[in-house]
Amino acid sequence: MSTKLYHNLIGGEWLPSRSGKTFQNINPADHSDVVGEFPASNAEDVDLAVAAAKKAFAIWRLVPAPKRAEILYRTGELLKERKEEYARQMTREMGKVLSETRGDVQEAIDEAFYVAGEGRRLFGKTTPSELQNKFAMSVRMPLGVVGLITPWNFPMAIPSWKLFPALVAGNTCVIKPAEDTPLSTYNLVQTLMDAGLPPGVVNIVAGYGPDAGAPIVEHPGVRAISFTGSSEIGSLVAQRAAANFKPVSLEMGGKNAQIVMEDANLDLALDGALWGAFGTTGQRCTATSRILVQKKIADEFIGRLVERARKLKVGNGLEAGIDVGPQVNAQQIETSQRYVEIARSEGAKLLTGGEALTAGAHANGTFFAPTVFAGVSAKMRIAREEVFGPVVSVIEFDTFQQAVEIANSIDYGLSTALYTRDVNKAFTAMRDLEAGITYINAPTIGAEVHLPFGGVKQTGNGHREGSEALDFYTTWKAVYVDYSDKLQRAQIDNAE
């Protein structure tokens, strides 16, 4: 069977890259399965895409926001119809199990319906003027052409978090999907087009970061950048964008802690730990990578955690009964292996896993065994640095205050969880944990689209996706209407 060849979407046309080069999208569970062949784009392609988006902006910005929103609503309806098809294709290209890719598409559906409602809620403010016969108000305005750079772990959900609010606000977009998972973004944009999105409003430029992503960041015609990825690359994006005074929204890494107090429901805490640590094969910025357990219950909790981790079935996410899919590529396997060796050298105790799975059904993919370390101290690298794989560290503590201090002792601040029956500790944790998200008696993963999503410290730069995304994709204009029919000078004529 021949491999399907995809092109860039520029001005409503599917065009090959000006570079003449392509790359293959490979199923991480079965390397013999080529999902598709995509263009390896360069700066010329970005120039064309930005020009198309700029041309489309002249028309799109004048479409009333409620009408723009109707396209998003239709997109949500179409995504519902195509959910199973898109989920299966996503599992092929990204690897996570089918129930999770269905959830990924569902998140895009939720985002479509939520943001469609924002088309009638792009509120400004009216306020009294300090002068007589003068009206004052503020209104939201679109930015223009925005550049979107998205990761591979949520290849439809995260593009929807960026595209939909940008579009309802009246912007046009150039999006570069991750090279490991371009098809899901293509499916999302195709659905937008089928729902009636005009040509050029969204343009896709596929390819690698240095060749296609960097030119988007640096392009003078791109007014803002939204990036989700590693803190290391996010820092480079911010630095390059700063040269043109370009606003940047960054959503980056995490080293998320689940705190388990001695009064917790241990069955619930174990369920949350397993889902948080090994869901999406640990490849999510909100993954539970540190489990902080009060010493009185540590032995019981660790024993049960290891027993259940060993029973998790690793394999092709399209197969029934699979709990954990592959890592997305060989580089991620190498990272997981490297951190296992780092942890061992630091004195951490490997209780299960710690190795790539390469035999039998795992021979043709990039699989890694669910891994649990105990005997971990808060100062170890395995407790401080993001692995982005199915590797979790257990840290023991004495007091609640000590647990909060350990949770806060890292450079990241995305998601946290506390398991306890003590309402006082719950509210203290909500106040004191340094994170953009805190869950009580729930795992570190599970964000919903109508709440703000993002973090503090090296996780983000202050912007939020979800409910607060419109603050990034719009700019404010103050408007004054003087109907006095005479010159009035603010701060001068009313000084007496």
Side-chain angles (χ1 to χ4, degrees), residues 37-53:
E37 191 169 343
F38 291 83
S41 304
N42 59 18
E44 284 188 76
D45 300 302
V46 172
D47 285 340
L48 292 172
V50 173

PDB file of all heavy atoms in Angstrom, residues 37-53:
ATOM      1  N   GLU A  37       3.398  10.856   4.691  1.00  0.00           N
ATOM      2  CA  GLU A  37       4.617  11.577   4.344  1.00  0.00           C
ATOM      3  C   GLU A  37       4.267  13.058   4.271  1.00  0.00           C
ATOM      4  O   GLU A  37       3.296  13.442   3.609  1.00  0.00           O
ATOM      5  CB  GLU A  37       5.167  11.072   3.017  1.00  0.00           C
ATOM      6  CG  GLU A  37       6.568  11.563   2.698  1.00  0.00           C
ATOM      7  CD  GLU A  37       7.170  10.826   1.505  1.00  0.00           C
ATOM      8  OE1 GLU A  37       6.654   9.743   1.148  1.00  0.00           O
ATOM      9  OE2 GLU A  37       8.144  11.348   0.946  1.00  0.00           O
ATOM     10  N   PHE A  38       5.059  13.880   4.968  1.00  0.00           N
ATOM     11  CA  PHE A  38       4.714  15.288   5.141  1.00  0.00           C
ATOM     12  C   PHE A  38       5.852  16.195   4.682  1.00  0.00           C
ATOM     13  O   PHE A  38       7.015  15.788   4.680  1.00  0.00           O
ATOM     14  CB  PHE A  38       4.388  15.561   6.617  1.00  0.00           C
ATOM     15  CG  PHE A  38       3.111  14.930   7.071  1.00  0.00           C
ATOM     16  CD1 PHE A  38       3.079  13.596   7.462  1.00  0.00           C
ATOM     17  CD2 PHE A  38       1.930  15.658   7.095  1.00  0.00           C
ATOM     18  CE1 PHE A  38       1.897  13.003   7.864  1.00  0.00           C
ATOM     19  CE2 PHE A  38       0.739  15.070   7.494  1.00  0.00           C
ATOM     20  CZ  PHE A  38       0.719  13.741   7.884  1.00  0.00           C
ATOM     21  N   PRO A  39       5.543  17.429   4.308  1.00  0.00           N
ATOM     22  CA  PRO A  39       6.579  18.333   3.811  1.00  0.00           C
ATOM     23  C   PRO A  39       7.530  18.794   4.908  1.00  0.00           C
ATOM     24  O   PRO A  39       7.103  19.121   6.016  1.00  0.00           O
ATOM     25  CB  PRO A  39       5.778  19.520   3.260  1.00  0.00           C
ATOM     26  CG  PRO A  39       4.462  19.459   3.961  1.00  0.00           C
ATOM     27  CD  PRO A  39       4.188  18.017   4.235  1.00  0.00           C
ATOM     28  N   ALA A  40       8.817  18.799   4.591  1.00  0.00           N
ATOM     29  CA  ALA A  40       9.841  19.357   5.481  1.00  0.00           C
ATOM     30  C   ALA A  40      10.052  20.805   5.059  1.00  0.00           C
ATOM     31  O   ALA A  40      10.890  21.115   4.217  1.00  0.00           O
ATOM     32  CB  ALA A  40      11.129  18.547   5.391  1.00  0.00           C
ATOM     33  N   SER A  41       9.277  21.684   5.651  1.00  0.00           N
ATOM     34  CA  SER A  41       9.181  23.063   5.164  1.00  0.00           C
ATOM     35  C   SER A  41      10.366  23.912   5.599  1.00  0.00           C
ATOM     36  O   SER A  41      11.142  23.550   6.492  1.00  0.00           O
ATOM     37  CB  SER A  41       7.880  23.685   5.663  1.00  0.00           C
ATOM     38  OG  SER A  41       6.772  22.905   5.260  1.00  0.00           O
ATOM     39  N   ASN A  42      10.467  25.087   4.948  1.00  0.00           N
ATOM     40  CA  ASN A  42      11.545  26.013   5.263  1.00  0.00           C
ATOM     41  C   ASN A  42      11.000  27.440   5.318  1.00  0.00           C
ATOM     42  O   ASN A  42       9.783  27.659   5.289  1.00  0.00           O
ATOM     43  CB  ASN A  42      12.676  25.888   4.240  1.00  0.00           C
ATOM     44  CG  ASN A  42      12.216  26.181   2.813  1.00  0.00           C
ATOM     45  OD1 ASN A  42      11.159  26.786   2.599  1.00  0.00           O
ATOM     46  ND2 ASN A  42      13.013  25.779   1.844  1.00  0.00           N
ATOM     47  N   ALA A  43      11.893  28.408   5.384  1.00  0.00           N
ATOM     48  CA  ALA A  43      11.489  29.803   5.540  1.00  0.00           C
ATOM     49  C   ALA A  43      10.667  30.310   4.364  1.00  0.00           C
ATOM     50  O   ALA A  43       9.794  31.179   4.533  1.00  0.00           O
ATOM     51  CB  ALA A  43      12.724  30.677   5.743  1.00  0.00           C
ATOM     52  N   GLU A  44      10.924  29.794   3.165  1.00  0.00           N
ATOM     53  CA  GLU A  44      10.114  30.211   2.009  1.00  0.00           C
ATOM     54  C   GLU A  44       8.652  29.829   2.202  1.00  0.00           C
ATOM     55  O   GLU A  44       7.747  30.608   1.874  1.00  0.00           O
ATOM     56  CB  GLU A  44      10.649  29.556   0.736  1.00  0.00           C
ATOM     57  CG  GLU A  44      11.917  30.155   0.184  1.00  0.00           C
ATOM     58  CD  GLU A  44      12.241  29.546  -1.174  1.00  0.00           C
ATOM     59  OE1 GLU A  44      11.593  29.916  -2.181  1.00  0.00           O
ATOM     60  OE2 GLU A  44      13.139  28.679  -1.225  1.00  0.00           O
ATOM     61  N   ASP A  45       8.428  28.631   2.695  1.00  0.00           N
ATOM     62  CA  ASP A  45       7.049  28.195   2.953  1.00  0.00           C
ATOM     63  C   ASP A  45       6.394  29.079   4.013  1.00  0.00           C
ATOM     64  O   ASP A  45       5.211  29.427   3.902  1.00  0.00           O
ATOM     65  CB  ASP A  45       7.040  26.734   3.413  1.00  0.00           C
ATOM     66  CG  ASP A  45       7.629  25.796   2.391  1.00  0.00           C
ATOM     67  OD1 ASP A  45       7.124  25.750   1.263  1.00  0.00           O
ATOM     68  OD2 ASP A  45       8.618  25.117   2.726  1.00  0.00           O
ATOM     69  N   VAL A  46       7.155  29.431   5.040  1.00  0.00           N
ATOM     70  CA  VAL A  46       6.626  30.305   6.078  1.00  0.00           C
ATOM     71  C   VAL A  46       6.262  31.668   5.500  1.00  0.00           C
ATOM     72  O   VAL A  46       5.205  32.228   5.814  1.00  0.00           O
ATOM     73  CB  VAL A  46       7.638  30.443   7.235  1.00  0.00           C
ATOM     74  CG1 VAL A  46       7.172  31.501   8.235  1.00  0.00           C
ATOM     75  CG2 VAL A  46       7.823  29.104   7.937  1.00  0.00           C
ATOM     76  N   ASP A  47       7.114  32.207   4.636  1.00  0.00           N
ATOM     77  CA  ASP A  47       6.809  33.494   3.996  1.00  0.00           C
ATOM     78  C   ASP A  47       5.474  33.437   3.244  1.00  0.00           C
ATOM     79  O   ASP A  47       4.650  34.352   3.341  1.00  0.00           O
ATOM     80  CB  ASP A  47       7.918  33.877   3.017  1.00  0.00           C
ATOM     81  CG  ASP A  47       9.178  34.363   3.706  1.00  0.00           C
ATOM     82  OD1 ASP A  47       9.094  34.758   4.888  1.00  0.00           O
ATOM     83  OD2 ASP A  47      10.248  34.343   3.068  1.00  0.00           O
ATOM     84  N   LEU A  48       5.278  32.358   2.496  1.00  0.00           N
ATOM     85  CA  LEU A  48       4.033  32.208   1.739  1.00  0.00           C
ATOM     86  C   LEU A  48       2.832  32.088   2.670  1.00  0.00           C
ATOM     87  O   LEU A  48       1.770  32.680   2.423  1.00  0.00           O
ATOM     88  CB  LEU A  48       4.116  30.974   0.836  1.00  0.00           C
ATOM     89  CG  LEU A  48       5.102  31.041  -0.335  1.00  0.00           C
ATOM     90  CD1 LEU A  48       5.210  29.679  -1.008  1.00  0.00           C
ATOM     91  CD2 LEU A  48       4.662  32.099  -1.339  1.00  0.00           C
ATOM     92  N   ALA A  49       2.993  31.330   3.744  1.00  0.00           N
ATOM     93  CA  ALA A  49       1.890  31.126   4.681  1.00  0.00           C
ATOM     94  C   ALA A  49       1.534  32.426   5.391  1.00  0.00           C
ATOM     95  O   ALA A  49       0.352  32.743   5.577  1.00  0.00           O
ATOM     96  CB  ALA A  49       2.263  30.048   5.698  1.00  0.00           C
ATOM     97  N   VAL A  50       2.528  33.186   5.808  1.00  0.00           N
ATOM     98  CA  VAL A  50       2.266  34.456   6.481  1.00  0.00           C
ATOM     99  C   VAL A  50       1.594  35.440   5.525  1.00  0.00           C
ATOM    100  O   VAL A  50       0.655  36.155   5.918  1.00  0.00           O
ATOM    101  CB  VAL A  50       3.565  35.040   7.068  1.00  0.00           C
ATOM    102  CG1 VAL A  50       3.320  36.444   7.620  1.00  0.00           C
ATOM    103  CG2 VAL A  50       4.112  34.140   8.162  1.00  0.00           C
ATOM    104  N   ALA A  51       2.040  35.475   4.283  1.00  0.00           N
ATOM    105  CA  ALA A  51       1.415  36.361   3.297  1.00  0.00           C
ATOM    106  C   ALA A  51      -0.052  35.996   3.081  1.00  0.00           C
ATOM    107  O   ALA A  51      -0.922  36.871   2.993  1.00  0.00           O
ATOM    108  CB  ALA A  51       2.180  36.301   1.978  1.00  0.00           C
ATOM    109  N   ALA A  52      -0.331  34.693   3.020  1.00  0.00           N
ATOM    110  CA  ALA A  52      -1.716  34.246   2.855  1.00  0.00           C
ATOM    111  C   ALA A  52      -2.554  34.605   4.062  1.00  0.00           C
ATOM    112  O   ALA A  52      -3.712  35.042   3.932  1.00  0.00           O
ATOM    113  CB  ALA A  52      -1.745  32.737   2.613  1.00  0.00           C
ATOM    114  N   ALA A  53      -1.991  34.430   5.267  1.00  0.00           N
ATOM    115  CA  ALA A  53      -2.725  34.761   6.488  1.00  0.00           C
ATOM    116  C   ALA A  53      -2.968  36.263   6.586  1.00  0.00           C
ATOM    117  O   ALA A  53      -4.045  36.702   7.019  1.00  0.00           O
ATOM    118  CB  ALA A  53      -1.946  34.263   7.702  1.00  0.00           C
TER     119      ALA A  53
END
